Amino acid sequence: MKEETKTQEVLDFLDAVEGQGFENMEQDQIAIPRLNISQALSEVVQNGHMEQGHFYNSLTGKDYGTTIQLVVCCFQKVWVEWKKNQGGYVGTYPIGGLEGVTGDNFKKMEHKDADGNINDVIETWNYLVFLPEHLDDGLMVFSSTRGNLKYLKSWNTQMRYLRTPTGRPAPLFSSIWEVSTGKDTNKAGNKYFSCNKDGKSSFVWKGWVSKDMFTTFISPARETAEQTLALVDNSQDIQQIESSESSEPIETVEGF
């Protein structure tokens, strides 16, 4: 503690010029990392950098282990279009922003492109988050996958109905949540890791964010959330990396 205080005193001069020097660095010149769960086919597992079932930063490869705490700053739903049979990424669209989509969110959605090819369309939920125990790692995007949807839907419900100590509806960004990974199995008997514990959502409410956390991290993140989420690289096929996940129908949930 004394060493930390001494370091702070030595670096106090930097507070007078906080944030300066980035005037010409636009938002689109910053990479937005994903918060992923390592699976058998993930590159970080294939190259021996970490075990399956760990949360990790897609940009730095940092391993956060099997349990993390996070705060959600913003929630977004998009349609992501993929070519069939692992054919690759096509594009990302606002919900309803792609004409000619057949099916619905409760069933498989498909789109016929200009060349007559039938592509898959997957509704994806993006959570703009930061990790209170790793604040220097900045904002990350945690996205839904087919095998995680039912656990995320349960988490969405927890967040939606959470109340402040005065009994009022809590803001989406008001809370610190803890989540762990667990082994899972789809209907085909394939194994993977998801946000489950004994077959139920592993998300647990851990407490309220501090005023300092809100002022320093949450409020600035929400001011630029729309631009930040627009820069997310949805071409990383985490659906295919987690290829053993089920393709059960997607149930919709209203945005926050």
Side-chain angles (χ1 to χ4, degrees):
M1 187 66 180
K2 289 183 178 180
E3 184 65 30
E4 184 177 321
T5 302
K6 183 178 179 180
T7 301
Q8 184 176 350
E9 291 174 351
V10 171
L11 296 177
D12 275 349
F13 71 96
L14 293 177
D15 290 340
V17 289
E18 60 176 314
Q20 294 185 23
F22 296 100
E23 292 81 6
N24 296 318
M25 187 182 295
E26 304 297 335
Q27 190 73 13
D28 61 359
Q29 285 142 18
I30 300 173
I32 309 300
R34 285 186 174 279
L35 178 64
N36 291 337
I37 299 174
S38 59
Q39 307 287 348
L41 297 180
S42 301
E43 184 179 352
V44 290
V45 173
Q46 292 287 310
N47 61 24
H49 286 176
M50 72 182 67
E51 299 177 5
Q52 297 180 52
H54 286 215
F55 291 100
Y56 71 96
N57 184 311
S58 68
L59 190 63
T60 65
K62 185 173 180 177
D63 184 349
Y64 299 115
T66 59
T67 300
I68 59 169
Q69 292 188 353
L70 53 78
V71 174
V72 181
C73 295
C74 190
F75 175 85
Q76 175 203 59
K77 297 185 296 184
V78 292
W79 278 352
V80 183
E81 185 177 12
W82 300 94
K83 294 180 181 179
K84 288 186 178 293
N85 301 317
Q86 307 175 36
Y89 171 77
V90 178
T92 299
Y93 315 90
I95 298 295
L98 182 62
E99 295 184 1
V101 173
T102 58
D104 56 43
N105 292 333
F106 296 92
K107 298 178 182 179
K108 186 175 182 178
M109 292 191 295
E110 295 180 323
H111 174 246
K112 187 175 183 179
D113 65 22
D115 297 324
N117 300 309
I118 304 298
N119 300 325
D120 290 325
V121 177
I122 299 175
E123 180 174 304
T124 301
W125 305 342
N126 289 326
Y127 301 80
L128 185 63
V129 305
F130 67 86
L131 312 185
E133 298 172 315
H134 304 275
L135 292 175
D136 289 343
D137 294 348
L139 293 169
M140 287 176 267
V141 172
F142 183 53
S143 296
S144 63
T145 57
R146 288 167 174 167
N148 241 349
L149 278 173
K150 61 182 178 180
Y151 309 120
L152 294 179
K153 186 175 182 182
S154 176
W155 182 36
N156 290 345
T157 304
Q158 288 178 270
M159 290 191 286
R160 171 68 83 178
Y161 291 105
L162 186 65
R163 293 294 182 267
T164 66
T166 59
R168 298 183 180 183
L172 171 71
F173 44 85
S174 65
S175 299
I176 300 172
W177 297 87
E178 186 171 274
V179 58
S180 301
T181 63
K183 293 181 180 179
D184 216 332
T185 308
N186 65 15
K187 291 182 178 179
N190 298 315
K191 308 292 185 181
Y192 65 100
F193 284 84
S194 65
C195 298
N196 93 93
K197 181 179 181 180
D198 300 326
K200 297 182 179 180
S201 171
S202 65
F203 288 92
V204 177
W205 185 83
K206 299 301 290 185
W208 305 107
V209 299
S210 66
K211 185 175 182 180
D212 180 66
M213 194 178 293
F214 174 78
T215 303
T216 306
F217 295 97
I218 298 171
S219 185
R222 287 186 58 78
E223 289 178 0
T224 59
E226 186 175 342
Q227 300 96 308
T228 300
L229 288 169
L231 298 174
V232 174
D233 180 10
N234 289 302
S235 66
Q236 299 180 40
D237 195 350
I238 54 177
Q239 304 286 346
Q240 180 56 36
I241 289 174
E242 301 174 358
S243 60
S244 58
E245 289 193 1
S246 66
S247 55
E248 296 177 358
I250 296 175
E251 297 186 58
T252 58
V253 63
E254 292 303 313
F256 294 92

